[in-house]
Amino acid sequence: REDRVVAACRQGVNVVIWSFAHLEVEDDVPRVRPTFDVDLVRATQKRLEAEQLDVRHLVAFGGWNGPHPDEKLDGRAWFEVWRAWNVAHGFVFDGCDWDLEGNDDASQNLSEAMVALVADFCREAKRHGYLIALAPAESYLDAGSAEVDLLLNHEPRAPWRPGENGFPAAGFPYAGRNAYAAVLARAGMDSVDAVSVQLYEGYSSACYALTRGGAALATYAEEVAAGLSTKGVTVGADVVRVPREKLLLGFANGWADNEKFIRVEPEDAARAVQSAGLRGAMFWVIDEEGSPYDFAGRYTGALPAAGSAELR
């Protein structure tokens, strides 16, 4: 993993999100449990620093099937636990990425308490100068839907029919309805540096539009950008909008099948992101980088010389 991260950063990646860490309470003691080797992260950072590569490092919470933070603590308290852990590890991370998702048995949802926890953590982290990113699946932050619901077990919004791209006859109850809009409504956009919308969500609206609906990626990217930055999502009395300078589109690299999970050519992704005037792109996952589908190298190779974006 260390070699792959360094190689990706040489190709232009300037933010690495290390996945995943969990916020747990064990024997009444709150703790941060990383699923990766923190010493390896620091060793990777030293290699990047030796090559004078300017890279920010975030730790991600959640992931598919990943546990959500224990609600015994509120967001401010969890931030203090995480901050102490980060300090104890030599300030290894510049901030956090929130990637809370559902799970295979469609039983894991968000709650009002979890929305408050994440939002309050974000506000407290920003107050202390940390970077904060969100990585919602496309259906978790979708201006094409007026519905706002914290359940993560909806059917996809796109009109998939059984058999299309292997869509199951029994349905696919793993989509959301703007749960992250509720988080942003409480946290405020000032508490967030970047929002990366995962177009590669299983049977996403992007997948349908690009593989079944004949849409061009650049057109679809502009539709997403305009929807989130201008129209927004109404949450109670608030309208949540994500400005283009904070918005990234999330793409899959070589692991995706372009059936259930959309996969696009990196050069097309670069052109679409640039045309829509967005902050940049996120891709999942560095562990799957390699020829012939090297997302980082092919994406940055298609950008103008000054086209990269950084989180500061």
Side-chain angles (χ1 to χ4, degrees):
R1 170 176 283 188
E2 179 184 348
D3 290 342
R4 289 181 182 270
V5 171
V6 172
C9 292
R10 287 171 179 159
Q11 292 176 319
V13 167
N14 52 32
V15 179
V16 175
I17 300 174
W18 295 83
S19 306
F20 290 96
H22 304 310
L23 304 177
E24 303 175 336
V25 176
E26 183 176 2
D27 296 328
D28 293 325
V29 179
R31 66 169 188 164
V32 179
R33 181 175 65 84
T35 62
F36 50 84
D37 186 338
V38 180
D39 291 336
L40 177 63
V41 176
R42 191 66 194 120
T44 304
Q45 290 175 335
K46 289 180 179 178
R47 286 182 60 181
L48 296 173
E49 291 163 3
E51 296 189 28
Q52 297 184 321
L53 293 171
D54 190 10
V55 179
R56 298 293 181 270
H57 298 265
L58 309 183
V59 59
F61 302 128
W64 188 254
N65 284 330
H68 294 182
D70 195 309
E71 293 180 5
K72 292 186 180 74
L73 275 70
D74 64 20
R76 293 180 182 86
W78 269 126
F79 169 73
E80 291 300 336
V81 171
W82 176 82
R83 182 166 68 133
W85 175 84
N86 194 45
V87 170
H89 286 85
F91 295 96
V92 67
F93 293 108
D94 301 296
C96 306
D97 174 71
W98 285 96
D99 186 18
L100 302 186
E101 301 183 40
N103 58 20
D104 289 341
D105 65 9
S107 65
Q108 183 162 260
N109 303 293
L110 296 191
S111 64
E112 293 290 351
M114 188 58 62
V115 168
L117 187 158
V118 175
D120 293 348
F121 186 110
C122 292
R123 284 205 299 263
E124 197 69 7
K126 285 309 300 175
R127 193 171 72 83
H128 286 83
Y130 286 98
L131 298 172
I132 289 292
L134 304 182
E138 185 181 19
S139 66
Y140 295 7
L141 187 63
D142 176 15
S145 172
E147 187 177 356
V148 178
D149 186 78
L150 301 184
L151 297 178
L152 306 179
N153 58 1
H154 293 271
E155 290 291 330
R157 181 170 65 82
W160 292 98
R161 293 183 294 184
E164 291 180 337
N165 291 30
F167 191 81
F172 191 75
Y174 300 107
R177 289 293 186 274
N178 282 312
Y180 273 56
V183 173
L184 285 169
R186 178 168 177 130
M189 278 306 306
D190 289 347
S191 298
V192 175
D193 296 284
V195 177
S196 301
V197 177
Q198 299 178 24
L199 300 185
Y200 56 84
E201 175 187 15
Y203 293 117
S204 65
S205 294
C207 187
Y208 187 89
L210 298 174
T211 67
R212 311 296 303 186
L217 178 58
T219 302
Y220 192 80
E222 175 55 34
E223 180 181 317
V224 171
L228 289 176
S229 66
T230 304
K231 177 185 176 184
V233 178
T234 299
V235 182
D238 300 314
V239 179
V240 173
R241 297 184 179 90
V242 182
R244 294 182 191 234
E245 61 269 21
K246 290 189 175 184
L247 182 60
L248 298 89
L249 297 183
F251 299 97
N253 57 358
W255 62 268
D257 57 10
N258 207 33
E259 291 286 326
K260 177 181 178 181
F261 305 104
I262 189 66
R263 187 184 71 230
V264 304
E265 297 303 313
E267 295 84 358
D268 293 339
R271 286 187 284 268
V273 167
Q274 286 282 298
S275 177
L278 305 182
R279 178 156 198 163
M282 174 270 283
F283 73 90
W284 177 268
V285 54
I286 286 177
D287 282 347
E288 297 289 338
E289 281 288 84
S291 180
Y293 202 88
D294 246 338
F295 190 93
R298 290 175 58 189
Y299 178 91
T300 56
L303 293 175
S308 64
E310 298 181 6
L311 297 181
R312 297 262 183 207

